[in-house]
Amino acid sequence: MVKPELLCPAGDMECFEAALQYGADAVYVGAKEYGMRAASKNFNPDELRRAVAMAHDKGVKVYLTANVLPRNAETNAFPSFLETIESCGIDAIIAADLGIITRTAKLAPNLAVHASTQTGVVNYETANALWDMGVKRVVLARELSIAEIAEIRAKTPKELEIEVFVHGAMCMSVSGRCLLSEYLTGRDANRGACAQSCRWKYALMEEKRPGEYFPICEDEDGSYILNAKDLCLMPYLKELADAGVDSFKIEGRAKAAYYVAGVSNAYRMAIDSIFCEDSQPVPDWVKDELNNVSHRPYTCGFAFGQRKDLIWQEENGYIRDYEVVGIVQRQEKGRLYISQRNRFFAGDTVEILMPKRKPLVLQVNDLQDGEGVSIGAANHAVMDCSMACEEAIPAGAFVRKAICGK
């Protein structure tokens, strides 16, 4: 059975390294220009060259997003940008604008072009038109059901690859072009600067009752337009593959390295369990890992048609039961050397997140600072510390602990 590609996000080098270590078959990143995540650190040309070299050394591909809708000045500058990023060795460019797509196919014929979800591909005619324009892969809109995906697969060239989002945040426009952030804050979501205005807490106020707020509610026949849940299609990976999906994509170029590691690791384990000769059910602990990163309540989106459970009604915050307290730097002579991220104490119970295995539960014993002095707590920002640990732990593993009261 052919395994679909696991495509993971990276907004900076730390996230990129986490994606590589925790199981990505391909990683998608952004440059300093033309990408839809302006808040991320993104990659300059030197960083991109280094990232591509690291990935290719592991047999992992790198795709670069250039999916903004460019204005005239950016269109004029695009050939120079394209020449630079192509020289970095990337495997594909992800674009939404038809001008960028056609220009890339003309100027860089050896560079694969993937049509971004921002293109809004919801039918086979559009997919075929993009194929005729030189597109190698279409990233389908999140609004599609599995049945619709299967029909697109059946009515397009078998060489045209199909990619779908299987996990992560969804904006109020799902795959569309939202104007809410620009209207309220002047930050254009279509330029990668979304303020996530759809996730703020809103209420109605009647003109003659200033200061009296009325919550926005829905009944069983109504629907919300704001405050979307997070997408999670892990239970339906086999159905998606049977429908013809070639690549499973995780959203999250604005997320931290721990999120990238945790979600990538879970989907890596799920894919390896399902898509093998003796296909096995996904272990419960793998499913649970998706609840151990910061997230909103999950939904399967439109996988089975129109849904009424896409919006979170209770509140606007994220569910967060764990926090990262450190990242493993090395292990020597029965000690685990850690770069601290959040405060933890001697005697705490922590978990170690490692690639392709169940997290290890460990008690913090013999806690020392960077000078080897015994301490009761690691409570200084990014301090070096160590603790006793006989079990082999790789560098880059994340040390986490449950948040009190959770």
Side-chain angles (χ1 to χ4, degrees):
M1 186 180 296
V2 177
K3 288 184 183 180
E5 173 188 82
L6 176 60
L7 177 55
C8 302
D12 58 25
M13 189 60 75
E14 184 182 22
C15 293
F16 189 90
E17 291 174 353
L20 290 184
Q21 185 172 12
Y22 285 84
D25 295 313
V27 186
Y28 66 104
V29 303
K32 299 292 186 180
E33 308 89 13
Y34 294 94
M36 283 291 290
R37 290 292 182 271
S40 301
K41 290 182 180 178
N42 295 313
F43 291 72
N44 64 36
D46 289 340
E47 292 169 330
L48 187 57
R49 289 187 185 92
R50 183 158 64 92
V52 170
M54 291 169 54
H56 287 179
D57 188 56
K58 294 178 175 290
V60 174
K61 295 181 178 180
V62 179
Y63 310 144
L64 186 127
T65 60
N67 53 349
V68 297
L69 304 180
R71 304 295 173 86
N72 289 331
E74 292 167 303
T75 300
N76 295 337
F78 183 74
S80 176
F81 171 80
L82 181 61
E83 183 178 1
T84 298
I85 62 168
E86 188 181 21
S87 73
C88 295
I90 61 171
D91 297 281
I93 185 171
I94 305 170
D97 180 74
L98 296 183
I100 294 297
I101 289 172
T102 55
R103 210 164 192 190
T104 300
K106 182 182 297 184
L107 297 176
N110 295 321
L111 180 61
V113 179
H114 297 176
S116 166
T117 189
Q118 289 288 113
T119 311
V121 180
V122 294
N123 62 67
Y124 57 84
E125 289 286 6
T126 302
N128 283 324
L130 289 166
W131 170 258
D132 291 340
M133 293 169 61
V135 168
K136 179 182 179 182
R137 176 184 294 190
V138 287
V139 187
L140 297 183
R142 293 175 176 90
E143 295 90 335
L144 292 174
S145 68
I146 294 175
E148 290 173 308
I149 293 170
E151 184 175 6
I152 290 173
R153 173 72 291 166
K155 296 180 178 179
T156 53
K158 66 180 186 302
E159 296 84 3
L160 176 64
E161 298 174 358
I162 291 178
E163 175 181 309
V164 300
F165 280 94
V166 296
H167 197 92
M170 298 191 297
C171 75
M172 63 171 286
S173 296
V174 192
S175 297
R177 298 170 181 176
C178 178
L179 301 175
L180 186 63
S181 174
E182 183 178 28
Y183 179 79
L184 292 177
T185 70
R187 291 171 52 180
D188 188 349
N190 300 305
R191 309 286 302 161
C194 182
Q196 293 199 323
S197 306
C198 64
R199 295 190 167 188
W200 299 348
K201 190 172 184 178
Y202 292 91
L204 293 174
M205 187 177 70
E206 200 274 327
E207 181 180 4
K208 296 181 179 179
R209 301 180 187 181
E212 189 172 347
Y213 298 101
F214 301 91
I216 301 174
C217 300
E218 72 169 0
D219 59 26
E220 59 201 20
D221 298 318
S223 64
Y224 283 76
I225 61 169
L226 304 174
N227 204 16
K229 293 180 179 179
D230 281 355
L231 179 68
C232 177
L233 294 180
M234 180 178 281
Y236 310 108
L237 298 182
K238 178 66 163 58
E239 290 85 346
L240 287 165
D242 289 344
V245 174
D246 299 290
S247 178
F248 296 149
K249 186 173 194 173
I250 297 169
E251 183 277 337
R253 279 200 298 121
K255 299 288 190 180
Y258 168 67
Y259 179 94
V260 174
V263 177
S264 298
N265 197 48
Y267 275 89
R268 176 78 276 151
M269 297 297 293
I271 291 169
D272 289 350
S273 294
I274 297 169
F275 300 98
C276 59
E277 290 186 7
D278 57 340
S279 180
Q280 300 291 323
V282 178
D284 287 341
W285 73 263
V286 172
K287 301 174 187 176
D288 291 342
E289 276 301 293
L290 298 181
N291 294 318
N292 293 335
V293 296
S294 178
H295 67 285
R296 289 170 171 250
Y298 289 126
T299 175
C300 67
F302 297 91
F304 301 98
Q306 291 296 118
R307 303 285 298 197
K308 291 184 179 180
D309 68 343
L310 297 178
I311 306 302
W312 188 12
Q313 302 177 34
E314 290 81 9
E315 54 181 290
N316 292 53
Y318 284 82
I319 301 170
R320 183 166 170 263
D321 294 338
Y322 283 83
E323 66 180 0
V324 175
V325 297
I327 301 174
V328 174
Q329 303 300 303
R330 68 185 191 281
Q331 188 175 29
E332 293 178 1
K333 299 178 180 178
R335 296 200 67 80
L336 207 57
Y337 291 85
I338 299 165
S339 177
Q340 180 258 16
R341 292 295 183 269
N342 283 291
R343 184 174 60 173
F344 66 102
F345 300 85
D348 279 351
T349 297
V350 297
E351 294 181 3
I352 313 292
L353 177 66
M354 295 172 282
K356 297 187 178 182
R357 58 170 289 185
K358 187 176 182 178
L360 173 69
V361 178
L362 192 67
Q363 187 174 43
V364 178
N365 291 321
D366 191 18
L367 184 62
Q368 297 179 3
D369 66 14
E371 304 299 322
V373 177
S374 293
I375 53 176
N379 55 4
H380 300 293
V382 199
M383 69 177 289
D384 293 327
C385 56
S386 68
M387 63 182 184
C389 179
E390 295 296 335
E391 185 155 351
I393 307 293
F398 289 84
V399 185
R400 70 187 184 201
K401 76 171 187 176
I403 298 173
C404 292
K406 294 290 187 178

